[in-house]
Amino acid sequence: PRRRGPGSREGVPGDPVLRAAWEELGPTTGVLYKEDNYIIMTTVDKEKYKCLLPLIASGNEEEEKDYKGPTPGELLEPLFKQSSCSYRIESYWTYEVCHGKHIRQYHEEKETGQKINIQEYYLGNMIMKNPLSEPDGAKEIPTKNIEGQMTPYYPVELGNGTPCSLRQNLPRSSTVMYICHPEAKHEILSVAEVTTCEYEVVILTPLLCNHPKYRFRASPVNDIFCQSLPGSPLKPHNLEQLEKQQEMLKMPFRRVKEEEMPSTKEEKFSSIHKPVAVGSHQLLTVGTTHISKLTDEQLIKEFLSGSYCFHGGVGWWKYEFCYGKYVHQYHEDKESGKTSVVVGTWSKEEHMEWSRKNAARTFYLREDGTQTVRMVSHFYGNGDVCDLTDKPRQVTVKLKCKESDSPHAVTIYMLEPHSCQYILGVESPVICKILDTADEYGLLSVPS
């Protein structure tokens, strides 16, 4: 039986147009329409329409109120007792979440004939002995916008991570947000640096789905039905014109998309309930920017002249790299505008001096015995003065070839092995085309 509001009438409204709306949507969606719940809309052309509004009611209130089962902390306890870990592989970093223990961000690199170098940061360690023992009171359950849906989550705080030089050596910290996903296997959906050295990690888990307040619920979208009043057309004139224009615009774009990007449909993460596979192609594209559709020749010329700059980075800080000019680190905020730090500026003389003591080119051997350039390294010094060292910031830019389905993709990441001395990794298919032009100083030129 459908609950009715005060003054509502039993049965179907008498108006035949409203009846159609009632019969079509009422029984299937559980949305109630009342004949006397409407507004009159008038267009700029003085066309008038009577629009029937739905009565919104949540069907989950009773179940949530009557729930007497385990708290979310108790539901997640098996995950913490098993000491299991989840991993997320991105283009450079691997993220490791050992539930109830720590979050680690690391990169392994093996140089020829050398041992494996590991670059790692702990984004948080569990301080509390039993993080899930707090009572599940009547406090508000927090939500996060995930794929356009406000999704409830259960937060677990981790502090005491690796000290952060950008914040007076305060330890890094993270909030792990556990959300219900019936088909998940505790995957890491996302890792984001929300402010400098403070992180948010979203974990998909089926364990929370047994609690009605944490179940995924799509935000209801209810139709509003409008009927024309006497003297007005069935559909507003301007709306008809707009629909015609949209139809005409759709065709050429659709054709370009289907020819140029056959895998778009597979890559699009369209629903929160689609299974997420760690290591899938979709996860590996995180942090990759798709750059200009200029021809390769134009793009290479503009990139090498410094007039076309690469942008990238994931999280709080983004990076701008202009070849032969500078490296900037910046954060854009709607309220306070753009904060920018000069990480390094180019001086050919300084770079040549640096390259006498450091390898500007590294090679690898092809199967046929010939050598090819694997990476070039450039030194950019004289950046903004660093508070921690009272010296100018400096950065080594490592340009690497990275094959990709998209010929115009660029991945940029930054490391800080020492305070205010950085490594900027720049990987792109564009770089693959120019690496072999590198001279003894690693300087690149337009291929002949």
Side-chain angles (χ1 to χ4, degrees):
R2 186 177 286 118
R3 286 177 289 171
R4 286 177 163 75
S8 66
R9 301 175 195 173
E10 293 295 323
V12 176
D15 187 310
V17 176
L18 301 188
R19 182 186 294 124
W22 181 286
E23 287 174 353
E24 184 186 329
L25 274 162
T28 55
T29 64
V31 176
L32 180 66
Y33 291 83
K34 278 172 56 183
E35 186 182 4
D36 56 357
N37 188 34
Y38 67 86
I39 55 170
I40 302 292
M41 302 290 291
T42 306
T43 70
V44 288
D45 298 325
K46 303 287 187 279
E47 304 154 321
K48 287 186 181 296
Y49 296 86
K50 179 179 176 180
C51 295
L52 187 68
L53 305 174
L55 296 175
I56 310 298
S58 168
N60 302 294
E61 290 166 2
E62 295 300 322
E63 187 190 0
E64 290 181 6
K65 207 184 330 182
D66 297 339
Y67 179 74
K68 298 285 188 293
T71 65
E74 288 165 349
L75 289 170
L76 287 170
E77 215 163 330
L79 188 59
F80 285 71
K81 282 188 170 170
Q82 290 163 10
S83 298
S84 61
C85 301
S86 301
Y87 294 86
R88 177 183 172 94
I89 302 161
E90 291 195 357
S91 51
Y92 185 85
W93 293 108
T94 297
Y95 294 93
E96 173 187 77
V97 176
C98 291
H99 303 282
K101 289 191 173 178
H102 67 252
I103 303 171
R104 184 168 70 110
Q105 169 184 337
Y106 66 93
H107 172 72
E108 294 180 345
E109 194 163 273
K110 188 176 182 182
E111 295 292 341
T112 315
Q114 295 178 6
K115 62 177 184 179
I116 294 173
N117 294 321
I118 297 184
Q119 172 92 22
E120 67 176 5
Y121 299 96
Y122 281 85
L123 308 186
N125 288 290
M126 188 57 77
I127 303 166
M128 298 172 285
K129 285 184 179 169
N130 187 2
L132 305 178
S133 60
E134 68 268 22
D136 182 36
K139 63 180 180 181
E140 188 86 8
I141 292 172
T143 59
K144 181 177 175 62
N145 188 331
I146 294 176
E147 295 294 319
Q149 302 290 348
M150 294 312 292
T151 307
Y153 67 86
Y154 182 76
V156 174
E157 305 291 336
L158 288 86
N160 202 30
T162 305
C164 173
S165 59
L166 292 172
R167 296 188 64 187
Q168 290 76 49
N169 278 342
L170 279 172
R172 288 167 165 82
S173 64
S174 298
T175 301
V176 185
M177 302 173 170
Y178 290 91
I179 67 171
C180 151
H181 188 309
E183 299 157 17
K185 293 183 176 66
H186 322 299
E187 293 93 345
I188 303 170
L189 176 65
S190 62
V191 180
E193 189 173 6
V194 286
T195 62
T196 305
C197 296
E198 289 184 9
Y199 306 85
E200 279 183 359
V201 181
V202 178
I203 304 281
L204 304 172
T205 176
L207 299 177
L208 272 183
C209 299
N210 291 325
H211 196 302
K213 287 189 179 181
Y214 288 88
R215 281 182 201 147
F216 173 83
R217 283 197 299 276
S219 301
V221 178
N222 298 305
D223 290 304
I224 295 172
F225 292 95
C226 297
Q227 65 171 130
S228 58
L229 293 175
S232 297
L234 280 173
K235 197 181 277 188
H237 174 70
N238 281 349
L239 180 60
E240 284 209 327
Q241 291 294 104
L242 183 67
E243 285 175 349
K244 279 180 186 170
Q245 285 172 10
Q246 286 174 335
E247 273 307 309
M248 288 170 70
L249 286 169
K250 265 183 198 171
M251 290 313 292
F253 283 124
R254 195 178 295 139
R255 206 155 41 242
V256 168
K257 280 182 181 173
E258 285 169 3
E259 286 169 10
E260 289 193 4
M261 295 181 285
S263 61
T264 306
K265 287 173 190 169
E266 294 164 29
E267 288 179 21
K268 190 176 179 190
F269 185 56
S270 58
S271 163
I272 191 68
H273 276 173
K274 179 178 168 185
V276 179
V278 172
S280 73
H281 178 68
Q282 180 254 325
L283 291 183
L284 288 169
T285 59
V286 172
T288 299
T289 310
H290 292 273
I291 56 179
S292 164
K293 292 288 184 187
L294 293 166
T295 66
D296 287 345
E297 195 179 339
Q298 282 175 305
L299 188 58
I300 288 166
K301 280 180 182 171
E302 293 197 18
F303 168 67
L304 291 175
S305 70
S307 61
Y308 193 95
C309 301
F310 286 170
H311 292 257
V314 179
W316 179 260
W317 289 111
K318 302 286 189 291
Y319 307 102
E320 179 182 34
F321 166 58
C322 299
Y323 180 88
K325 287 193 173 177
Y326 58 76
V327 176
H328 286 180
Q329 173 176 283
Y330 64 93
H331 172 71
E332 286 181 299
D333 193 283
K334 284 179 185 172
E335 290 171 14
S336 55
K338 187 174 181 179
T339 306
S340 193
V341 177
V342 178
V343 181
T345 53
W346 175 254
S347 159
K348 190 174 178 181
E349 292 71 29
E350 279 187 24
H351 166 72
M352 289 168 81
E353 182 64 35
W354 175 88
S355 66
R356 290 188 181 100
K357 301 168 192 166
N358 300 275
R361 291 181 296 184
T362 54
F363 299 89
Y364 64 74
L365 279 172
R366 291 196 184 105
E367 287 179 6
D368 60 5
T370 59
Q371 273 191 337
T372 184
V373 179
R374 183 177 74 88
M375 178 179 73
V376 297
S377 301
H378 295 164
F379 176 78
Y380 287 67
N382 203 29
D384 287 345
V385 173
C386 172
D387 295 340
L388 295 169
T389 61
D390 284 328
K391 292 179 182 175
R393 289 172 164 83
Q394 59 186 51
V395 60
T396 304
V397 177
K398 294 182 179 287
L399 298 167
K400 288 184 183 180
C401 166
K402 181 183 182 181
E403 297 296 347
S404 168
D405 291 342
S406 168
H408 296 121
V410 61
T411 302
I412 293 181
Y413 49 85
M414 187 175 272
L415 314 175
E416 191 180 3
H418 308 287
S419 294
C420 298
Q421 294 183 18
Y422 306 90
I423 293 170
L424 186 80
V426 181
E427 302 179 355
S428 174
V430 173
I431 293 167
C432 302
K433 300 174 190 300
I434 50 176
L435 271 183
D436 279 331
T437 69
D439 64 14
E440 61 187 298
Y441 301 108
L443 301 177
L444 303 167
S445 55
V446 178
S448 52

